[in-house]
Amino acid sequence: MKERFLAFLRKIVYILLPLIGGGWLGVSCSESDDTVDQYENWPLRNNLFYASLEDSLKNGDGTWMKFKSFSKNPSTKLGANTDYIYVKVVTTGYEKASETESPLYNDSVRISYIGRLIPTVYEPEGTVFDSTVYGKYNLKTNATRNFQVSELVDGMSTALMHMHRFDTWRVYIPWNLGYGATASGTIPACSTLIFTMTLYDYAAEGHALPTQVAVD
């Protein structure tokens, strides 16, 4: 009975510890903390997870893509895998000639999204750190938010500049194209970000976003 109680207490500590954001401030992207919790060896685990996405791209069914970040030198043919975001296409949007364009860096966008970390023992689907979605992901019922592409992390901006209206993508962003080596709220330092996101609409710089209409 005593061992079960102690195990229960340890589980509670493991769950609550990540909520103390200050503990992650100043962490470098190398292993230096032997604390046993669900984020143990976090930088290494994130790097290994991200490296594995190249296999998904090569062995996938054609729904995987990768795009070099707009912030990286385009003249460099390859570069590190962390110069790129990986994308799993969930659904494609309008297949019309008029819908072949994508938002530009200074455009405004209306999107819905769920942002997660990589899976852990306590969160096998990844901890949700931000979301406009309540309940199941559904284009008809998701709440949306408006942003300028330029105000988002580099990886998310890169994805949006390749999306078309009503595309839904799962976007994998390496730590250096996300929040980097510094914690942000409940997001630990050196975290891969995983966004399931839909682009509903966009507008050119200096123009207002169109009034949102119901999704058919």
Side-chain angles (χ1 to χ4, degrees):
M1 179 67 70
K2 182 178 179 180
E3 291 181 355
R4 289 183 180 179
F5 179 71
L6 290 175
F8 173 76
L9 285 180
R10 283 196 294 269
K11 184 174 182 179
I12 294 298
V13 170
Y14 296 163
I15 293 172
L16 292 179
L17 189 59
L19 301 180
I20 307 174
W24 295 102
L25 295 177
V27 177
S28 67
C29 291
S30 61
E31 302 310 311
S32 59
D33 189 349
D34 294 327
T35 303
V36 179
D37 57 37
Q38 68 171 331
Y39 297 123
E40 184 179 16
N41 299 322
W42 191 244
L44 175 61
R45 286 163 56 196
N46 276 265
N47 288 337
L48 292 174
F49 176 89
Y50 204 76
S52 73
L53 297 176
E54 186 66 22
D55 291 333
S56 297
L57 175 69
K58 292 178 179 178
N59 302 323
D61 55 4
T63 61
W64 282 85
M65 302 182 290
K66 74 175 183 180
F67 299 103
K68 194 169 192 178
S69 172
F70 74 91
S71 62
K72 301 299 180 179
N73 187 345
S75 64
T76 304
K77 290 185 177 181
L78 295 177
N81 75 317
T82 50
D83 289 349
Y84 296 81
I85 62 168
Y86 288 84
V87 169
K88 167 72 173 176
V89 177
V90 179
T91 59
T92 55
Y94 296 133
E95 298 292 341
K96 298 179 181 178
S98 61
E99 296 297 335
T100 59
E101 295 183 351
S102 300
L104 301 176
Y105 184 69
N106 290 319
D107 288 353
S108 299
V109 292
R110 177 178 294 120
I111 60 175
S112 63
Y113 61 88
I114 301 176
R116 298 179 184 272
L117 304 178
I118 66 171
T120 67
V121 64
Y122 295 114
E123 295 287 350
E125 294 186 355
T127 300
V128 175
F129 59 82
D130 194 11
S131 179
T132 66
V133 178
Y134 302 93
K136 292 185 177 181
Y137 199 95
N138 186 318
L139 268 63
K140 295 182 179 180
T141 59
N142 289 350
T144 60
R145 290 181 187 165
N146 300 341
F147 297 96
Q148 282 190 312
V149 175
S150 59
E151 69 181 300
L152 301 169
V153 297
D154 284 0
M156 201 171 188
S157 297
T158 299
L160 284 165
M161 288 191 285
H162 289 278
M163 295 180 76
H164 304 139
R165 287 183 177 90
F166 289 98
D167 280 348
T168 299
W169 288 0
R170 187 165 297 115
V171 181
Y172 298 82
I173 300 172
W175 64 270
N176 58 305
L177 300 180
Y179 292 103
T182 303
S184 178
T186 59
I187 302 173
C190 307
S191 289
T192 297
L193 308 179
I194 305 171
F195 284 97
T196 300
M197 54 190 285
T198 301
L199 173 63
Y200 284 79
D201 214 338
Y202 63 94
E205 182 180 16
H207 293 77
L209 279 161
T211 301
Q212 186 166 354
V213 297
V215 179
D216 295 333

